Amino acid sequence: MENLLKKASDAIMDMDEDATKEVLDEAIASNFDLKQLLEKGLSVGMTELGEQFSAGEVFLPELLTAAEIMQNATKRIETELAKSGISATKKGKVVFATVNGDIHDIGKGICCSLLKTGGINVIDLGRDVPAETIVDKAVETDADIIAMSSLLTTSMHVQQDVCKILEERGIRDKFYVMVGGAPVTQRWCDKIKANAYTENATECSKVVSDYIASIS
Amino acid sequence: MSAKKYLTRMGDASQCEMTADEIISDIKDATADAAKKGKVDPLTKGEMDFIADVIMAPDTMVSVAPGKSVVSTTDIGCYKMLYAAGVPMDRCDEALVRERGFCGDSTDFGYEDYSFKPTKASVDTYEAKQMQNVLDRTTMPVLYGAMPNLGLYTKPDGPVGNWNELLPAGKIKEAREAQEQAVEYAVKDIVYVAEKMYDMGADGINLDTVGAAGDADMLASLKAVKIIKDKMPTLGIEMGMAGEFVLGIHGKLEYNGTRLAGLYPHKQVKLCEEVGCDIFGSVVNTNCSKSAAWNYAKVATLTKPCVEAADIPVHANAGMGVNGMPMSLTMPIDMVTRADKCLVEICKVDGL
């Protein structure tokens, strides 16, 4: 069993689509627990790749390639689980923006890329986006999560504005609010009463996945 | 009796109190983490103790020992008095203030937008003349500064595809091609601006925040510097980085067989030397969620091997959010001077 999990993890880390397919074939043929294969095999490989990305050892195109293989594998697992009457997990919808007064969107772009390849429906509002627009779009699209990035100390307050607008409109509990960016900290997240702070794209992807899983 | 607590700060400049054990623990944690990521040696016990002593020093301001002073320069185009301090002052006047008021050893001078692409449009008609005004009035070296800022070449601001849109759409090949095209546009602009400034008599050119848009951003800078140095060998060139490792947005770009993505400062500096840079501006990013002790130790672990590897002077970027400086508009002097002391006395940087 451990051998199959390791094979799955290695296949993702090697960005090897054929090897991933073979592992899935083997797991399905031997009635292996596919949820376990996903959580303790394939996902372990993605997590390790994410850590290597954070350390500058793996780069964005490679990470996206692996994520796409992961996405295809997840789809196949979900199809197989559905045959046994197990419903597919909710994918979730994220409205993502670099806030008003800030045009630094490289970090947001990386986060959006990872989320999209992870099967999350991302509505990328771009950069320099006013607080009202972020809230309006989240309501309009019935998003689960509002994610905001800010590289400048001078634009961070827009993240707070979004939380305030949500409170004023009485819809604060409808959205899980995530904040990030170089000057952003857990303390800032706590201060503005956002739900989560993440330091980098891989962490962002994990927190989004965990939250979506928790509401599924 | 509870352990004595020392007043220190976090990476975002907020104050906190830590015991000596907590400070030392953060230093050990940071150096181990940085050594693993950068594939360099961790700090020695003596160096870690030095950082702890600097953090726990009772003085608001600390300084280096006599004889260990280094040169200082500034970047961002002589707009700090206007934008950071709120003092209405022309950038030509600021250059004079930097020389005669702040005793700066050199400065850079640049256009408000501070990127090579928009500078190109006004370099002939305006920028070169402004540079001449500054050169006529100062005696210190003045470098013309700007950022490669490769993002400006992407749609809708520029002619090439936007890799921030192409990558999430899974168009990796197209995203890579777009970056390769942007490199060529940026090289032309950087060289063009450098030529105009050379003709005007500038002492040098400063490529700032190199690598901010990833490995293609660095490739453009390296290629441009090589051309500039070949054409104008007497023009001084400084290359300051954007981050502690080169982001792999393309991932496969190389310069003379060296893959650019993932390069840490001790390897970045060797490529800079190879193309003809005269000064290397090393950068290690500040983590706002970690303590000053953690950040100083990380900076020292990654910067020391860079200085050791370098055959050209290393001027560590001592600006907001990098090299132990907090991510804060108003930088507290206690944190700034402590970071400087570690950079100079542990890392042996040549300038700030």
Side-chain angles (χ1 to χ4, degrees):
Chain A
M1 183 182 92
E2 280 189 11
N3 188 34
L4 202 59
L5 294 176
K6 187 173 183 320
K7 270 190 196 174
S9 169
D10 288 349
I12 289 293
M13 286 186 65
D14 293 340
M15 292 159 267
D16 190 332
E17 190 153 24
D18 292 338
T20 307
K21 192 174 169 295
E22 280 169 24
V23 171
L24 278 170
D25 289 342
E26 193 181 335
I28 292 164
S30 60
N31 284 326
F32 190 83
D33 182 342
L34 293 179
K35 270 200 161 178
Q36 202 169 28
L37 187 79
L38 183 63
E39 289 164 9
K40 295 187 176 171
L42 299 166
S43 296
V44 170
M46 263 324 281
T47 304
E48 176 58 28
L49 267 183
E51 281 170 15
Q52 290 181 5
F53 175 73
S54 299
E57 292 169 359
V58 164
F59 311 114
L60 192 56
E62 286 97 321
L63 194 64
L64 292 174
T65 304
E68 200 174 350
I69 295 169
M70 176 83 182
Q71 188 181 5
N72 292 335
T74 307
K75 272 182 194 162
R76 190 168 167 207
I77 287 174
E78 284 171 354
T79 306
E80 290 297 326
L81 289 174
K83 287 178 191 170
S84 316
I86 303 169
S87 61
T89 50
K90 181 179 162 74
K91 287 299 178 193
K93 195 182 285 177
V94 180
V95 161
F96 216 129
T98 297
V99 299
N100 193 200
D102 210 323
I103 56 163
H104 301 86
D105 63 351
I106 288 178
K108 174 186 67 65
I110 295 171
C111 287
C112 288
S113 299
L114 278 191
L115 292 174
K116 281 183 182 176
T117 49
I120 305 290
N121 181 358
V122 181
I123 297 139
D124 184 355
L125 303 183
R127 58 196 191 183
D128 199 14
V129 186
E132 291 277 355
T133 308
I134 295 170
V135 174
D136 289 346
K137 206 69 188 174
V139 172
E140 181 191 320
T141 58
D142 194 25
D144 300 295
I145 296 174
I146 295 174
M148 293 175 280
S149 163
S150 174
L151 185 84
L152 304 173
T153 50
T154 48
S155 65
M156 281 165 67
H157 69 91
V158 181
Q159 299 181 342
Q160 189 171 27
D161 293 346
V162 166
C163 293
K164 279 183 186 166
I165 293 169
L166 291 171
E167 290 281 356
E168 284 164 11
R169 293 194 192 177
I171 51 173
R172 177 62 189 85
D173 293 339
K174 188 171 162 31
F175 303 101
Y176 190 75
V177 179
M178 294 175 62
V179 291
V184 177
T185 61
Q186 185 61 51
R187 289 182 305 287
W188 170 250
C189 173
D190 297 340
K191 185 180 172 186
I192 66 170
K193 299 189 176 74
N195 296 96
Y197 154 74
T198 56
E199 195 173 306
N200 53 47
T202 43
E203 214 178 286
C204 169
S205 178
K206 186 177 183 316
V207 169
V208 167
S209 300
D210 289 350
Y211 176 70
I212 298 300
S214 76
I215 59 169
S216 296
Chain B
M1 198 175 80
S2 59
K4 180 180 177 182
K5 289 199 169 186
Y6 296 87
L7 187 63
T8 179
R9 292 185 190 270
M10 301 295 287
D12 64 352
S14 58
Q15 289 190 334
C16 63
E17 287 187 329
M18 296 174 77
T19 65
D21 285 348
E22 287 168 340
I23 289 168
I24 290 163
S25 169
D26 266 14
I27 292 169
K28 284 181 178 170
D29 178 42
T31 194
D33 184 57
K36 185 182 166 202
K37 286 179 176 163
K39 297 184 177 60
V40 294
D41 292 333
L43 296 174
T44 63
K45 185 177 182 307
E47 288 161 343
M48 288 194 273
D49 289 345
F50 182 91
I51 295 174
D53 287 345
V54 169
I55 294 280
M56 293 185 285
D59 314 288
T60 301
M61 238 170 96
V62 301
S63 182
V64 296
K68 293 189 175 173
S69 304
V70 297
V71 296
S72 69
T73 186
T74 42
D75 59 11
I76 199 69
C78 276
Y79 283 107
K80 281 213 169 93
M81 291 297 286
L82 180 60
Y83 292 126
V87 181
M89 183 180 283
D90 172 73
R91 59 182 163 148
C92 299
D93 294 335
E94 182 170 331
L96 286 170
V97 169
R98 287 185 180 192
E99 178 182 89
R100 296 168 199 185
F102 298 160
C103 306
D105 298 292
S106 71
T107 187
D108 90 351
F109 183 82
Y111 182 58
E112 221 163 350
D113 188 280
Y114 205 56
S115 299
F116 281 101
K117 187 187 168 200
T119 298
K120 174 186 62 176
S122 62
V123 68
D124 246 344
T125 53
Y126 191 69
E127 286 303 286
K129 286 170 188 162
Q130 290 291 306
M131 178 56 122
Q132 187 183 32
N133 288 338
V134 173
L135 291 167
D136 285 348
R137 293 149 76 187
T138 53
T139 53
M140 66 177 173
V142 181
L143 293 82
Y144 192 79
M147 303 182 292
N149 205 348
L150 230 61
L152 287 181
Y153 297 93
T154 63
K155 292 173 185 172
D157 303 314
V160 310
N162 190 328
W163 47 87
N164 267 348
E165 291 172 359
L166 293 167
L167 283 169
K171 295 178 179 175
I172 292 172
K173 182 172 170 283
E174 290 85 348
R176 282 183 164 141
E177 284 171 358
Q179 289 173 74
E180 288 157 20
Q181 288 162 10
V183 167
E184 300 311 316
Y185 283 111
V187 169
K188 280 182 192 164
D189 289 350
I190 298 167
V191 172
Y192 180 78
V193 171
E195 280 174 337
K196 296 296 173 186
M197 285 299 155
Y198 177 72
D199 289 345
M200 190 47 75
D203 297 294
I205 192 144
N206 178 29
L207 283 77
D208 197 9
T209 65
V210 167
D215 41 352
D217 198 288
M218 187 172 189
L219 180 63
S221 304
L222 292 169
K223 282 183 156 190
V225 169
K226 178 80 175 79
I227 295 168
I228 293 167
K229 206 64 184 178
D230 287 346
K231 280 186 169 179
M232 301 159 267
T234 57
L235 185 70
I237 304 173
E238 176 165 2
M239 188 188 284
M241 300 303 294
E244 66 217 28
F245 68 81
V246 180
L247 276 172
I249 306 290
H250 185 293
K252 286 187 173 174
L253 293 174
E254 294 183 352
Y255 189 86
N256 278 354
T258 302
R259 193 185 203 190
L260 301 178
L263 287 185
Y264 276 81
H266 62 292
K267 292 189 175 167
Q268 295 165 5
V269 70
K270 299 313 285 180
L271 277 181
C272 288
E273 283 173 12
E274 190 179 326
V275 294
C277 286
D278 300 289
I279 299 171
F280 176 68
S282 65
V283 160
V284 175
N285 305 92
T286 297
N287 186 328
C288 288
S289 300
K290 300 285 189 181
S291 68
W294 191 95
N295 278 294
Y296 296 168
K298 176 189 169 194
V299 170
T301 305
L302 294 173
T303 307
K304 188 182 149 204
C306 168
V307 178
E308 286 170 353
D311 290 317
I312 56 174
V314 175
H315 290 190
N317 189 325
M320 181 173 70
V322 296
N323 283 336
M325 305 299 158
M327 182 69 89
S328 163
L329 280 179
T330 305
M331 295 205 281
I333 198 73
D334 52 290
M335 194 164 176
V336 171
T337 56
R338 279 166 170 76
D340 286 344
K341 186 173 173 70
C342 294
L343 283 165
V344 174
E345 297 206 34
I346 296 176
C347 308
K348 315 283 191 245
V349 297
D350 304 281
L352 296 168

PDB file of all heavy atoms in Angstrom, chain A residues 13 22-23 28 40 50-51 63 108 110 112-113 119 121 126 130 144 148 150 166 179 184 190-191 197:
ATOM      1  N   MET A  13       5.545  14.540  -8.346  1.00  0.00           N
ATOM      2  CA  MET A  13       6.784  15.318  -8.198  1.00  0.00           C
ATOM      3  C   MET A  13       7.634  15.299  -9.461  1.00  0.00           C
ATOM      4  O   MET A  13       8.342  16.251  -9.767  1.00  0.00           O
ATOM      5  CB  MET A  13       7.595  14.800  -7.011  1.00  0.00           C
ATOM      6  CG  MET A  13       6.972  15.209  -5.692  1.00  0.00           C
ATOM      7  SD  MET A  13       7.972  14.757  -4.302  1.00  0.00           S
ATOM      8  CE  MET A  13       9.404  15.762  -4.571  1.00  0.00           C
ATOM      9  N   GLU A  22      -0.658   5.421 -14.715  1.00  0.00           N
ATOM     10  CA  GLU A  22      -0.375   4.013 -14.358  1.00  0.00           C
ATOM     11  C   GLU A  22      -0.713   3.735 -12.892  1.00  0.00           C
ATOM     12  O   GLU A  22      -1.272   2.688 -12.554  1.00  0.00           O
ATOM     13  CB  GLU A  22       1.106   3.697 -14.607  1.00  0.00           C
ATOM     14  CG  GLU A  22       1.405   3.423 -16.083  1.00  0.00           C
ATOM     15  CD  GLU A  22       2.910   3.375 -16.363  1.00  0.00           C
ATOM     16  OE1 GLU A  22       3.686   3.100 -15.431  1.00  0.00           O
ATOM     17  OE2 GLU A  22       3.294   3.641 -17.514  1.00  0.00           O
ATOM     18  N   VAL A  23      -0.358   4.663 -12.025  1.00  0.00           N
ATOM     19  CA  VAL A  23      -0.659   4.494 -10.595  1.00  0.00           C
ATOM     20  C   VAL A  23      -2.173   4.406 -10.391  1.00  0.00           C
ATOM     21  O   VAL A  23      -2.665   3.562  -9.641  1.00  0.00           O
ATOM     22  CB  VAL A  23      -0.078   5.675  -9.765  1.00  0.00           C
ATOM     23  CG1 VAL A  23      -0.575   5.619  -8.322  1.00  0.00           C
ATOM     24  CG2 VAL A  23       1.436   5.645  -9.783  1.00  0.00           C
ATOM     25  N   ILE A  28      -7.070   1.447  -9.162  1.00  0.00           N
ATOM     26  CA  ILE A  28      -8.457   1.088  -9.495  1.00  0.00           C
ATOM     27  C   ILE A  28      -8.570  -0.440  -9.654  1.00  0.00           C
ATOM     28  O   ILE A  28      -9.505  -1.059  -9.124  1.00  0.00           O
ATOM     29  CB  ILE A  28      -8.913   1.825 -10.773  1.00  0.00           C
ATOM     30  CG1 ILE A  28      -9.025   3.331 -10.478  1.00  0.00           C
ATOM     31  CG2 ILE A  28     -10.254   1.281 -11.282  1.00  0.00           C
ATOM     32  CD1 ILE A  28      -9.081   4.218 -11.699  1.00  0.00           C
ATOM     33  N   LYS A  40      -3.086  10.948   0.559  1.00  0.00           N
ATOM     34  CA  LYS A  40      -1.783  10.555   1.115  1.00  0.00           C
ATOM     35  C   LYS A  40      -0.750  10.218   0.056  1.00  0.00           C
ATOM     36  O   LYS A  40       0.395   9.880   0.384  1.00  0.00           O
ATOM     37  CB  LYS A  40      -1.974   9.374   2.075  1.00  0.00           C
ATOM     38  CG  LYS A  40      -2.799   9.753   3.281  1.00  0.00           C
ATOM     39  CD  LYS A  40      -2.865   8.657   4.306  1.00  0.00           C
ATOM     40  CE  LYS A  40      -3.632   9.127   5.530  1.00  0.00           C
ATOM     41  NZ  LYS A  40      -3.916   8.053   6.469  1.00  0.00           N
ATOM     42  N   GLY A  50       5.225  22.190  -3.799  1.00  0.00           N
ATOM     43  CA  GLY A  50       4.937  23.544  -3.342  1.00  0.00           C
ATOM     44  C   GLY A  50       6.042  24.075  -2.448  1.00  0.00           C
ATOM     45  O   GLY A  50       6.440  25.235  -2.556  1.00  0.00           O
ATOM     46  N   GLU A  51       6.558  23.204  -1.599  1.00  0.00           N
ATOM     47  CA  GLU A  51       7.655  23.628  -0.720  1.00  0.00           C
ATOM     48  C   GLU A  51       8.908  23.913  -1.530  1.00  0.00           C
ATOM     49  O   GLU A  51       9.641  24.857  -1.262  1.00  0.00           O
ATOM     50  CB  GLU A  51       7.912  22.554   0.337  1.00  0.00           C
ATOM     51  CG  GLU A  51       6.887  22.648   1.461  1.00  0.00           C
ATOM     52  CD  GLU A  51       6.930  21.474   2.415  1.00  0.00           C
ATOM     53  OE1 GLU A  51       7.918  20.720   2.391  1.00  0.00           O
ATOM     54  OE2 GLU A  51       5.951  21.314   3.174  1.00  0.00           O
ATOM     55  N   LEU A  63       5.442  23.801 -11.734  1.00  0.00           N
ATOM     56  CA  LEU A  63       4.406  23.655 -10.716  1.00  0.00           C
ATOM     57  C   LEU A  63       3.023  23.572 -11.372  1.00  0.00           C
ATOM     58  O   LEU A  63       2.173  22.766 -10.980  1.00  0.00           O
ATOM     59  CB  LEU A  63       4.462  24.847  -9.755  1.00  0.00           C
ATOM     60  CG  LEU A  63       3.691  24.699  -8.453  1.00  0.00           C
ATOM     61  CD1 LEU A  63       4.254  23.583  -7.602  1.00  0.00           C
ATOM     62  CD2 LEU A  63       3.707  25.998  -7.667  1.00  0.00           C
ATOM     63  N   LYS A 108      -0.366  37.666  -6.823  1.00  0.00           N
ATOM     64  CA  LYS A 108      -1.770  37.293  -7.053  1.00  0.00           C
ATOM     65  C   LYS A 108      -1.862  36.360  -8.268  1.00  0.00           C
ATOM     66  O   LYS A 108      -2.607  35.373  -8.246  1.00  0.00           O
ATOM     67  CB  LYS A 108      -2.623  38.539  -7.291  1.00  0.00           C
ATOM     68  CG  LYS A 108      -4.052  38.203  -7.688  1.00  0.00           C
ATOM     69  CD  LYS A 108      -4.842  39.434  -8.068  1.00  0.00           C
ATOM     70  CE  LYS A 108      -4.360  40.096  -9.331  1.00  0.00           C
ATOM     71  NZ  LYS A 108      -4.514  39.304 -10.563  1.00  0.00           N
ATOM     72  N   ILE A 110       0.330  34.274  -9.386  1.00  0.00           N
ATOM     73  CA  ILE A 110       0.799  32.923  -9.039  1.00  0.00           C
ATOM     74  C   ILE A 110      -0.276  32.198  -8.225  1.00  0.00           C
ATOM     75  O   ILE A 110      -0.570  31.026  -8.463  1.00  0.00           O
ATOM     76  CB  ILE A 110       2.140  32.995  -8.266  1.00  0.00           C
ATOM     77  CG1 ILE A 110       3.241  33.567  -9.171  1.00  0.00           C
ATOM     78  CG2 ILE A 110       2.554  31.616  -7.759  1.00  0.00           C
ATOM     79  CD1 ILE A 110       4.545  33.882  -8.460  1.00  0.00           C
ATOM     80  N   CYS A 112      -3.515  32.740  -8.285  1.00  0.00           N
ATOM     81  CA  CYS A 112      -4.643  32.409  -9.179  1.00  0.00           C
ATOM     82  C   CYS A 112      -4.298  31.188 -10.033  1.00  0.00           C
ATOM     83  O   CYS A 112      -5.147  30.312 -10.239  1.00  0.00           O
ATOM     84  CB  CYS A 112      -4.984  33.590 -10.079  1.00  0.00           C
ATOM     85  SG  CYS A 112      -5.791  34.940  -9.203  1.00  0.00           S
ATOM     86  N   SER A 113      -3.068  31.146 -10.522  1.00  0.00           N
ATOM     87  CA  SER A 113      -2.648  30.017 -11.362  1.00  0.00           C
ATOM     88  C   SER A 113      -2.781  28.710 -10.595  1.00  0.00           C
ATOM     89  O   SER A 113      -3.329  27.726 -11.090  1.00  0.00           O
ATOM     90  CB  SER A 113      -1.193  30.181 -11.797  1.00  0.00           C
ATOM     91  OG  SER A 113      -1.042  31.340 -12.555  1.00  0.00           O
ATOM     92  N   GLY A 119      -8.440  23.282  -9.736  1.00  0.00           N
ATOM     93  CA  GLY A 119      -9.852  23.068 -10.006  1.00  0.00           C
ATOM     94  C   GLY A 119     -10.770  24.101  -9.376  1.00  0.00           C
ATOM     95  O   GLY A 119     -11.990  24.003  -9.449  1.00  0.00           O
ATOM     96  N   ASN A 121     -12.699  27.601  -9.076  1.00  0.00           N
ATOM     97  CA  ASN A 121     -13.205  28.611  -9.997  1.00  0.00           C
ATOM     98  C   ASN A 121     -12.732  29.981  -9.500  1.00  0.00           C
ATOM     99  O   ASN A 121     -13.211  30.473  -8.478  1.00  0.00           O
ATOM    100  CB  ASN A 121     -14.740  28.523 -10.030  1.00  0.00           C
ATOM    101  CG  ASN A 121     -15.346  29.525 -10.998  1.00  0.00           C
ATOM    102  OD1 ASN A 121     -14.644  30.303 -11.618  1.00  0.00           O
ATOM    103  ND2 ASN A 121     -16.657  29.489 -11.106  1.00  0.00           N
ATOM    104  N   GLY A 126      -8.150  41.356 -11.234  1.00  0.00           N
ATOM    105  CA  GLY A 126      -6.993  42.147 -11.669  1.00  0.00           C
ATOM    106  C   GLY A 126      -6.389  42.952 -10.540  1.00  0.00           C
ATOM    107  O   GLY A 126      -6.453  42.556  -9.377  1.00  0.00           O
ATOM    108  N   PRO A 130     -11.032  48.652  -6.437  1.00  0.00           N
ATOM    109  CA  PRO A 130     -11.648  49.281  -5.266  1.00  0.00           C
ATOM    110  C   PRO A 130     -12.398  48.272  -4.387  1.00  0.00           C
ATOM    111  O   PRO A 130     -12.912  47.263  -4.894  1.00  0.00           O
ATOM    112  CB  PRO A 130     -12.630  50.290  -5.875  1.00  0.00           C
ATOM    113  CG  PRO A 130     -12.170  50.488  -7.278  1.00  0.00           C
ATOM    114  CD  PRO A 130     -11.545  49.193  -7.697  1.00  0.00           C
ATOM    115  N   ASP A 144     -17.456  31.919  -2.689  1.00  0.00           N
ATOM    116  CA  ASP A 144     -17.270  31.373  -1.339  1.00  0.00           C
ATOM    117  C   ASP A 144     -16.196  32.158  -0.589  1.00  0.00           C
ATOM    118  O   ASP A 144     -16.237  32.296   0.622  1.00  0.00           O
ATOM    119  CB  ASP A 144     -16.813  29.905  -1.426  1.00  0.00           C
ATOM    120  CG  ASP A 144     -17.826  29.053  -2.157  1.00  0.00           C
ATOM    121  OD1 ASP A 144     -18.939  28.905  -1.643  1.00  0.00           O
ATOM    122  OD2 ASP A 144     -17.499  28.572  -3.263  1.00  0.00           O
ATOM    123  N   MET A 148      -7.559  38.741  -1.163  1.00  0.00           N
ATOM    124  CA  MET A 148      -6.996  40.044  -1.528  1.00  0.00           C
ATOM    125  C   MET A 148      -5.493  40.085  -1.281  1.00  0.00           C
ATOM    126  O   MET A 148      -5.006  39.603  -0.260  1.00  0.00           O
ATOM    127  CB  MET A 148      -7.642  41.143  -0.688  1.00  0.00           C
ATOM    128  CG  MET A 148      -9.099  41.351  -0.974  1.00  0.00           C
ATOM    129  SD  MET A 148      -9.791  42.568   0.154  1.00  0.00           S
ATOM    130  CE  MET A 148     -10.053  41.595   1.625  1.00  0.00           C
ATOM    131  N   SER A 150      -1.926  42.599  -1.383  1.00  0.00           N
ATOM    132  CA  SER A 150      -1.464  43.974  -1.272  1.00  0.00           C
ATOM    133  C   SER A 150       0.037  43.955  -1.010  1.00  0.00           C
ATOM    134  O   SER A 150       0.489  43.308  -0.073  1.00  0.00           O
ATOM    135  CB  SER A 150      -2.193  44.643  -0.097  1.00  0.00           C
ATOM    136  OG  SER A 150      -1.679  45.916   0.119  1.00  0.00           O
ATOM    137  N   LEU A 166     -18.456  44.557   4.109  1.00  0.00           N
ATOM    138  CA  LEU A 166     -19.189  43.297   4.305  1.00  0.00           C
ATOM    139  C   LEU A 166     -20.018  43.354   5.596  1.00  0.00           C
ATOM    140  O   LEU A 166     -21.167  42.922   5.635  1.00  0.00           O
ATOM    141  CB  LEU A 166     -18.219  42.114   4.354  1.00  0.00           C
ATOM    142  CG  LEU A 166     -17.510  41.755   3.039  1.00  0.00           C
ATOM    143  CD1 LEU A 166     -16.420  40.710   3.282  1.00  0.00           C
ATOM    144  CD2 LEU A 166     -18.495  41.231   2.000  1.00  0.00           C
ATOM    145  N   VAL A 179      -6.361  37.225   3.225  1.00  0.00           N
ATOM    146  CA  VAL A 179      -5.478  38.343   2.895  1.00  0.00           C
ATOM    147  C   VAL A 179      -4.033  37.857   2.776  1.00  0.00           C
ATOM    148  O   VAL A 179      -3.644  36.878   3.405  1.00  0.00           O
ATOM    149  CB  VAL A 179      -5.565  39.471   3.954  1.00  0.00           C
ATOM    150  CG1 VAL A 179      -6.921  40.155   3.900  1.00  0.00           C
ATOM    151  CG2 VAL A 179      -5.298  38.942   5.352  1.00  0.00           C
ATOM    152  N   VAL A 184       1.647  42.132   4.746  1.00  0.00           N
ATOM    153  CA  VAL A 184       0.505  41.593   5.499  1.00  0.00           C
ATOM    154  C   VAL A 184       0.976  40.509   6.468  1.00  0.00           C
ATOM    155  O   VAL A 184       1.847  39.701   6.135  1.00  0.00           O
ATOM    156  CB  VAL A 184      -0.550  41.034   4.516  1.00  0.00           C
ATOM    157  CG1 VAL A 184      -1.715  40.388   5.261  1.00  0.00           C
ATOM    158  CG2 VAL A 184      -1.063  42.156   3.614  1.00  0.00           C
ATOM    159  N   ASP A 190      -5.860  39.482  11.924  1.00  0.00           N
ATOM    160  CA  ASP A 190      -6.669  39.480  13.147  1.00  0.00           C
ATOM    161  C   ASP A 190      -7.300  40.851  13.377  1.00  0.00           C
ATOM    162  O   ASP A 190      -8.468  40.963  13.752  1.00  0.00           O
ATOM    163  CB  ASP A 190      -5.821  39.109  14.372  1.00  0.00           C
ATOM    164  CG  ASP A 190      -5.263  37.690  14.265  1.00  0.00           C
ATOM    165  OD1 ASP A 190      -5.822  36.898  13.472  1.00  0.00           O
ATOM    166  OD2 ASP A 190      -4.272  37.387  14.956  1.00  0.00           O
ATOM    167  N   LYS A 191      -6.502  41.890  13.135  1.00  0.00           N
ATOM    168  CA  LYS A 191      -6.958  43.253  13.399  1.00  0.00           C
ATOM    169  C   LYS A 191      -8.169  43.617  12.538  1.00  0.00           C
ATOM    170  O   LYS A 191      -9.111  44.246  13.019  1.00  0.00           O
ATOM    171  CB  LYS A 191      -5.807  44.234  13.135  1.00  0.00           C
ATOM    172  CG  LYS A 191      -6.105  45.664  13.487  1.00  0.00           C
ATOM    173  CD  LYS A 191      -4.921  46.556  13.201  1.00  0.00           C
ATOM    174  CE  LYS A 191      -5.294  48.025  13.362  1.00  0.00           C
ATOM    175  NZ  LYS A 191      -4.218  48.919  12.961  1.00  0.00           N
ATOM    176  N   TYR A 197      -4.841  34.472   6.875  1.00  0.00           N
ATOM    177  CA  TYR A 197      -3.665  35.092   6.258  1.00  0.00           C
ATOM    178  C   TYR A 197      -2.804  33.961   5.715  1.00  0.00           C
ATOM    179  O   TYR A 197      -2.616  32.945   6.399  1.00  0.00           O
ATOM    180  CB  TYR A 197      -2.885  35.893   7.295  1.00  0.00           C
ATOM    181  CG  TYR A 197      -1.411  36.045   6.974  1.00  0.00           C
ATOM    182  CD1 TYR A 197      -0.996  36.906   5.960  1.00  0.00           C
ATOM    183  CD2 TYR A 197      -0.443  35.300   7.651  1.00  0.00           C
ATOM    184  CE1 TYR A 197       0.347  37.027   5.642  1.00  0.00           C
ATOM    185  CE2 TYR A 197       0.905  35.419   7.338  1.00  0.00           C
ATOM    186  CZ  TYR A 197       1.294  36.282   6.334  1.00  0.00           C
ATOM    187  OH  TYR A 197       2.620  36.398   6.009  1.00  0.00           O
TER     188      TYR A 197
END
